[in-house]
Amino acid sequence: GQQLNQSPQSMFIQEGEDVSMNCTSSSIFNTWLWYKQDPGEGPVLLIALYKAGELTSNGRLTAQFGITRKDSFLNISASIPSDVGIYFCAGPDSGAGSYQLTFGKGTKLSVIP
Amino acid sequence: DAGITQSPRHKVTETGTPVTLRCHQTENHRYMYWYRQDPGHGLRLIHYSYGVKDTDKGEVSDGYSVSRSKTEDFLLTLESATSSQTSVYFCAISGIADEQFFGPGTRLTVL
């Protein structure tokens, strides 16, 4: 199946700093989804992107659908302690059907107060 | 938040015993999924359902079975639990779009 590569795998930042992470694929995606998972909880959908070049914001979060359709980016501005967690990208697995998703392995974010 | 509950939230069992995990949704979504999440492997699809009594295998289906007799319930059964099935299990649902919404998870330990 398709694979999604997320980078960085982990990052430590100071509170107040901006954060950038990305997700790349060797194949084209028609949808990009970004999730956040808090410790001990299930992933929560943050942003969904459906068009190449699309830029969508959700509060301090901004995500972009790359124009090549093989990548996506998530930015967090002015980080706060509650931003801590694992951020996953995901996209529909075109080879599988039935709305199955391929997930990246996640970027673990730690925020130092 | 999507109305998804999982039960139990935590379970400890012994090798060889059967285990059933339940996922319940109040959203009337057609698609339901079972994933397991393990360090280094991320989220891996076990089984999914595309309607009542319609199910199919995912990436890591060996040792697991599922049933969906009602739209709102999707059961995952480990017929004879093994230590390699110690994991966190997540249920997810989706409607007509690609977006999936996850439940809170079940932490299963097989001794």
Side-chain angles (χ1 to χ4, degrees):
Chain A
Q2 297 163 300
Q3 288 192 333
L4 293 178
N5 300 306
Q6 280 191 253
S7 64
Q9 286 187 313
S10 63
M11 51 196 318
F12 290 81
I13 61 168
Q14 292 280 350
E15 182 176 357
E17 288 184 347
D18 296 343
V19 175
S20 290
M21 59 188 79
N22 69 71
C23 193
T24 59
S25 171
S26 58
S27 53
I28 288 173
F29 276 70
N30 293 317
T31 301
W32 286 96
L33 306 173
W34 284 94
Y35 290 85
K36 183 195 176 198
Q37 186 176 24
D38 291 330
E41 305 285 335
V44 174
L45 182 63
L46 298 173
I47 293 177
L49 302 160
Y50 291 100
K51 288 173 59 176
E54 180 181 356
L55 191 71
T56 297
S57 293
N58 178 4
R60 293 178 296 104
L61 277 62
T62 302
Q64 183 163 23
F65 193 140
I67 57 173
T68 66
R69 295 165 64 192
K70 292 184 178 182
D71 55 12
S72 180
F73 307 89
L74 178 69
N75 297 313
I76 305 172
S77 62
S79 59
I80 59 178
S82 62
D83 290 333
V84 165
I86 302 176
Y87 292 80
F88 294 97
C89 61
D93 189 337
S94 60
S98 296
Y99 298 110
Q100 292 181 54
L101 294 178
T102 297
F103 288 87
K105 295 219 165 108
T107 293
K108 185 175 182 179
L109 178 64
S110 300
V111 178
I112 304 165
Chain B
D1 289 343
I4 313 169
T5 56
Q6 293 185 232
S7 59
R9 293 294 314 277
H10 302 270
K11 185 168 182 69
V12 179
T13 191
E14 294 189 347
T15 298
T17 60
V19 176
T20 295
L21 308 183
R22 179 182 184 238
C23 177
H24 179 78
Q25 61 146 329
T26 58
E27 305 297 316
N28 201 35
H29 281 345
R30 177 182 176 188
Y31 297 94
M32 298 185 76
Y33 309 82
W34 277 107
Y35 293 89
R36 61 178 289 174
Q37 186 177 41
D38 305 288
H41 292 281
L43 285 158
R44 293 183 291 175
L45 182 66
I46 305 171
H47 280 280
Y48 66 96
S49 170
Y50 46 96
V52 172
K53 297 193 171 139
D54 292 323
T55 65
D56 207 347
K57 296 178 180 180
E59 177 188 358
V60 290
S61 59
D62 287 349
Y64 301 95
S65 62
V66 290
S67 66
R68 191 168 178 200
S69 58
K70 299 185 289 185
T71 298
E72 57 266 36
D73 290 325
F74 193 31
L75 303 180
L76 176 70
T77 297
L78 291 65
E79 301 291 345
S80 177
T82 68
S83 58
S84 65
Q85 293 175 312
T86 292
S87 187
V88 181
Y89 291 86
F90 289 101
C91 174
I93 64 175
S94 69
I96 60 172
D98 293 318
E99 301 165 15
Q100 290 185 16
F101 302 95
F102 285 81
T106 293
R107 184 172 293 276
L108 176 67
T109 302
V110 183
L111 301 175

